[in-house]
Amino acid sequence: MSEKIPVTVLTGYLGAGKTTLLNRILTEDHGKKFAVIVNEFGEAGIDGDLIVGADEEIFEMNNGCICCTVRGDLIRILDGLMKRKGKFDAIIVETTGLADPAPVAQTFFVDQDVGDATRLDAVVTVTDAKWLKDRLKDAPEAKNQIAFADVIVLNKTDLVTAEELTEVEAAIRAINPYAKLHRAQRCDVDIAGLLDRNAFDLDRILDIEPDFLEAGHHHHHAEDVRSISLTVPGDVDPHKFMPWINDVAQIQGPNILRSKGILAFKDEPRRFVFQGVHMILDGDLQRDWKAGETRESRLVLIGRGLDEDDLRKGFEACAA
């Protein structure tokens, strides 16, 4: 049997639940140790701080999208990991929500050193039962992520009716009838059904993209989607922040594909972690701020037609 390290590419459109699934993988009692590579869209990373696994090696790539400008970084990180072989059992690569998984998967076949040391086990795509049909209309990345999936987690099934669920499954099956599909709420899937499945099917991928193994494959994102990163150097007042972010979501929600933040609330020892997709917001107090950790409040919004100056002024006005 091959001694190559298995790699799972975890993908899915903005807000589908990739980080939630990653946290489930890292916290369940499966006896495996993972190295995790996280890539996110935007100049100021926040996903790395949202990953709960304290024992895993986390490598962040924030200088661009993994499928475009930073694939060289991915190769360098993988090369570095191979020198530490034996300290982990598998690798998980979490892509940005805008990534085309094809060039990421390609890395494991066209780079000789990476291909000799690793084995692409599966492309796992998380999809949002409520918003996927809209994204299939305006986001080609969402379709590519489904087409390349070996395993699909259809998440947030509790947010749709039975009829809507049937429709979204049919839309997925029209794109990819082969992938194993798991229904989920908050990504509550059996982790054993996702990992070490040896599910990646190169022949199927070559049917979709005959030039998959040719170098130079490149991907362009929709240029109207941008990321805005906002920071308040200190605490914010929850009595100002909550009504402000609710107003932002109600007014600009259709244009906000994804929002997330880690906030320091005045007189609160715990971090408030905030996540949103369009007008649906969710947040909770999580772990304590660590001794020596800088208390600051960060917010990232990804969407179309967002007014950065207005958002910045609004967030800064929430300062405690």
Side-chain angles (χ1 to χ4, degrees), residues 50-115:
L50 299 177
I51 297 170
V52 299
D55 296 332
E56 277 71 22
E57 305 251 17
I58 310 290
F59 300 89
E60 294 184 55
M61 296 189 297
N62 300 324
N63 296 324
C65 183
I66 197 171
C67 69
C68 302
T69 58
V70 299
R71 196 164 62 167
D73 288 351
L74 173 62
I75 291 171
R76 280 190 288 276
I77 290 173
L78 289 169
D79 284 343
L81 283 173
M82 290 311 104
K83 296 184 176 76
R84 303 161 72 181
K85 204 170 178 179
K87 295 186 176 179
F88 53 88
D89 302 298
I91 298 170
I92 299 173
V93 181
E94 183 189 4
T95 73
T96 77
L98 294 173
D100 179 348
V104 181
Q106 188 193 42
T107 303
F108 297 92
F109 294 91
V110 300
D111 186 272
Q112 183 75 46
D113 293 337
V114 171

Side-chain angles (χ1 to χ4, degrees), residues 2-11 74 78 90-95 101-111 114-124 148-150 194-205 212-213:
S2 169
E3 295 182 353
K4 294 182 178 181
I5 300 292
V7 178
T8 300
V9 173
L10 179 57
T11 187
L74 173 62
L78 289 169
I91 298 170
I92 299 173
V93 181
E94 183 189 4
T95 73
V104 181
Q106 188 193 42
T107 303
F108 297 92
F109 294 91
V110 300
D111 186 272
V114 171
D116 287 346
T118 63
R119 167 178 62 81
L120 180 57
D121 185 71
V123 175
V124 177
F148 262 78
D150 304 298
L194 307 181
L195 302 177
D196 210 12
R197 309 302 298 171
N198 204 15
F200 186 78
D201 187 342
L202 181 60
D203 291 337
R204 184 178 72 80
I205 297 305
F212 176 73
L213 295 179

Side-chain angles (χ1 to χ4, degrees), residues 236-244 265-266 318:
V236 298
D237 184 338
H239 300 295
K240 296 178 182 176
F241 175 77
M242 291 301 188
W244 172 74
F265 280 162
K266 183 182 178 183
C318 297

